[in-house]
Amino acid sequence: MQKLFTLAAVALAAFAATSVHAQDFPAKDRTITIVVPFTAGGPTDRVARDLAEALRKPLGGPTIVVDNTAGAGSSIGTAKVARANPDGYTILLNHIGMATMPGLYRKLPFNVENDFEYAGMINDVPMTLIGKPTLPANNYKELTGWIDANKGKINLANAGIGSASHLCGLLFQSAIKTEMTPVPYKGAAPAIADLMGNQVDLLCDQTTNTTQQIEGKKVKAYGVTTSKRLTTPGLKDLPTLKEAGLANFEVTVWHGLYAPKGTPAPVIKRLNDALKVALKDPTFIKNQEALGAVIVTDGRLDPAGHKKFVSAEIAKWTPIIKAAGAYAD
């Protein structure tokens, strides 16, 4: 009986400590670290820094810093958060890589679906299919004719294995049932530079990386990967690929927030509540619109909807990646 009483007391004390901790989250003297598993200055880093600023007020004004822990297709930074203390002070902001890592890597030091608490989705960033300036095709219909006439000779650039452009390229080849020669780069900037210089033929990348080049007519633009046309100035006249004739082709680079497994539910709720407020911040919205991003307002904003969506994305991307033999290890 004494043993049972002791166990009950320990459990009650632990529960009370967790409740107090969650109720006081975030403490005024603690810093919240948002780990971004990519280098500073990139699209995901920009989203994180804008979000950090927007989160401060609804969280009560804590210090929020961004930690860029890049490498291995975002798996290094993601693993860092999986190992972190589950108290809400170390969280992860990652993109579509959360759904593609299980297919890209034969071994991961974490399980995407089981080793994290999901705190809500942030945005969707559309992709654009663009071509070199000297490419003779001026629209998607002409592009399909050019592809048919040049099978086996086409180069498709990407920003590296596991990057958004790599994934979009894989999906595009799968959709049109045509293999192209992949040309991986160490980032989007050199890939786009070579595309503008006519060194490679095609690239499918985020609006955050391509809008300026499309507006400046430095590349040929063939369509966006969303179900509806974009309202972004400079892209609003660009047709969707579905509209242009490519059925069932929709892909976006989405971003979400995650915490280590075991983070108390009240802390996750606090983060999610703050996220919902932050996504309505006028400055954050303006910055995201400038990137061509669309703020999430549907069920994916809730933790359960977020996790359900990522599981569906894993199921979508894994067979595509494995069929292409695109392993990163």
Side-chain angles (χ1 to χ4, degrees):
M1 180 64 72
Q2 181 63 36
K3 183 178 181 181
L4 288 175
F5 177 79
T6 301
L7 290 174
V10 170
L12 183 61
F15 174 78
T18 299
S19 298
V20 170
H21 168 81
Q23 190 176 33
D24 293 342
F25 177 85
K28 295 185 182 300
D29 60 345
R30 296 286 304 274
T31 295
I32 295 175
T33 299
I34 299 177
V35 175
V36 175
F38 302 98
T39 56
T44 301
D45 178 66
R46 293 170 67 182
V47 172
R49 292 180 188 278
D50 288 343
L51 184 66
E53 188 62 37
L55 280 172
R56 285 191 177 95
K57 186 175 181 180
L59 282 176
T63 298
I64 304 177
V65 299
V66 174
D67 172 14
N68 298 95
T69 302
S74 84
S75 64
I76 294 177
T78 302
K80 180 177 183 178
V81 175
R83 296 190 302 265
N85 190 19
D87 55 9
Y89 291 99
T90 301
I91 56 179
L92 171 72
L93 192 153
N94 202 354
H95 67 11
I96 193 173
M98 290 296 279
T100 58
M101 281 188 286
L104 281 169
Y105 294 90
R106 292 184 175 89
K107 292 183 180 180
L108 283 172
F110 53 82
N111 183 292
V112 170
E113 295 181 271
N114 298 331
D115 291 344
F116 298 91
E117 305 293 346
Y118 288 63
M121 294 277 290
I122 302 165
N123 65 14
D124 290 303
V125 182
M127 308 286 284
T128 50
L129 180 63
I130 58 177
K132 62 184 181 182
T134 58
L135 207 155
N138 294 308
N139 54 53
Y140 183 74
K141 183 177 180 180
E142 292 180 4
L143 178 65
T144 58
W146 179 82
I147 290 174
D148 288 340
N150 290 275
K151 287 185 176 180
K153 305 175 184 178
I154 302 171
N155 293 322
L156 180 63
N158 67 63
I161 293 177
S163 66
S165 55
H166 175 226
L167 301 169
C168 188
L170 289 179
L171 189 60
F172 179 60
Q173 292 174 85
S174 175
I176 64 173
K177 296 179 173 57
T178 300
E179 290 188 16
M180 302 177 187
T181 302
V183 183
Y185 289 82
K186 292 183 178 180
I192 293 174
D194 271 9
L195 186 76
M196 291 191 294
N198 295 299
Q199 301 302 307
V200 287
D201 300 317
L202 295 170
L203 172 69
C204 184
D205 205 0
Q206 305 173 60
T207 53
T208 47
N209 295 325
T210 63
T211 299
Q212 184 177 351
Q213 288 73 24
I214 293 172
E215 290 178 337
K217 299 187 184 304
K218 297 178 181 179
V219 295
K220 293 284 185 74
Y222 297 107
V224 295
T225 63
T226 49
S227 59
K228 297 179 180 179
R229 290 197 182 197
L230 304 179
T231 59
T232 307
L235 297 179
K236 60 183 180 181
D237 294 327
L238 191 61
T240 67
L241 288 174
K242 181 179 180 180
E243 175 187 349
L246 183 57
N248 302 317
F249 189 84
E250 293 181 26
V251 57
T252 60
V253 179
W254 40 265
H255 294 89
L257 275 184
Y258 309 82
K261 186 71 175 179
T263 301
V267 171
I268 296 298
K269 185 178 187 306
R270 182 86 169 94
L271 288 170
N272 182 254
D273 288 345
L275 175 64
K276 290 176 178 176
V277 174
L279 296 189
K280 295 178 181 178
D281 179 88
T283 301
F284 182 76
I285 292 172
K286 181 180 178 180
N287 289 339
Q288 294 304 291
E289 288 178 343
L291 295 174
V294 179
I295 303 295
V296 169
T297 58
D298 54 37
R300 296 173 299 161
L301 184 51
D302 293 316
H306 180 191
K307 186 171 185 178
K308 181 179 179 181
F309 174 75
V310 173
S311 295
E313 286 283 277
I314 291 172
K316 168 186 172 179
W317 283 106
T318 298
I320 293 172
I321 292 168
K322 289 186 175 180
Y327 295 106
D329 55 345

